[in-house]
Amino acid sequence: MMAGEETTWDGLPVAREPPRACCVVVWREGERGREFLVLHRLAPGGAGYEGNWAWTPPSGARLPGETPEAAASRELREETGLLLRLTALPEAAPSGDVALFVAQTPPDADVVLDDEHDEFMWLPLEEAGARCLPVEVADGLMNASAWLDGHAIA
């Protein structure tokens, strides 16, 4: 690693060029209609923390040389155990620094959390958006939902 290079919480190098991170908005058809997967991250504040970055869709840093699609697939698999087909939403990303993807999962899919997370929830858009802070995280969720509203789901 070079001096001054940014790293992930577990010491891996982060890509220097944008997008430096990826976010996968995972949804399913649930009992309350469309539901979105949000994960509770243990860092920065531990199990009881509810502030910025506590709840997010599956997301994380892109490694140097890794494509945004590969990073999104890796983060989704590492954080949730899910292997899903991803659709890139470059026009819906709230920041040029984060690649946004959407993926549908069957209603009965098993979510297996990694050591970085301690809880997950399937929530309707409004509830998921209210938990996801800062506002840029909620914006990605809202933009993905708006995209889903405008596209036929296969």
Side-chain angles (χ1 to χ4, degrees):
M1 227 173 314
M2 297 177 63
E5 189 174 70
E6 188 176 341
T7 62
T8 63
W9 68 274
D10 54 354
L12 297 174
V14 176
R16 291 178 180 229
E17 65 283 348
R20 295 168 41 87
C22 60
C23 174
V24 182
V25 174
V26 179
W27 68 279
R28 70 179 185 184
E29 286 298 334
E31 294 176 8
R32 301 180 284 177
R34 189 184 297 154
E35 297 174 330
F36 295 90
L37 178 63
V38 293
L39 312 177
H40 186 262
R41 188 175 311 274
L42 288 168
Y49 181 68
E50 295 293 328
N52 284 350
W53 308 108
W55 290 94
T56 67
S59 55
R62 185 172 70 85
L63 304 176
E66 192 175 39
T67 66
E69 293 81 6
S73 292
R74 175 184 51 76
E75 287 291 343
L76 179 62
R77 184 183 66 257
E78 287 175 359
E79 293 186 352
T80 68
L82 297 172
L83 299 171
L84 302 173
R85 186 181 71 171
L86 305 180
T87 300
L89 305 180
E91 70 281 359
S95 162
D97 210 30
V98 178
L100 184 64
F101 296 84
V102 66
Q104 183 180 9
T105 189
D108 60 350
D110 289 327
V111 174
V112 179
L113 294 178
D114 63 357
D115 292 340
E116 187 179 349
H117 301 87
D118 67 338
E119 187 177 354
F120 71 90
M121 293 182 174
W122 288 101
L123 299 172
L125 178 63
E126 295 76 24
E127 290 179 45
R131 284 189 179 269
C132 292
L133 300 171
V135 69
E136 294 85 4
V137 179
D139 286 349
L141 189 64
M142 300 295 177
N143 292 354
S145 180
W147 182 89
L148 288 168
D149 289 341
H151 288 78
I153 305 303

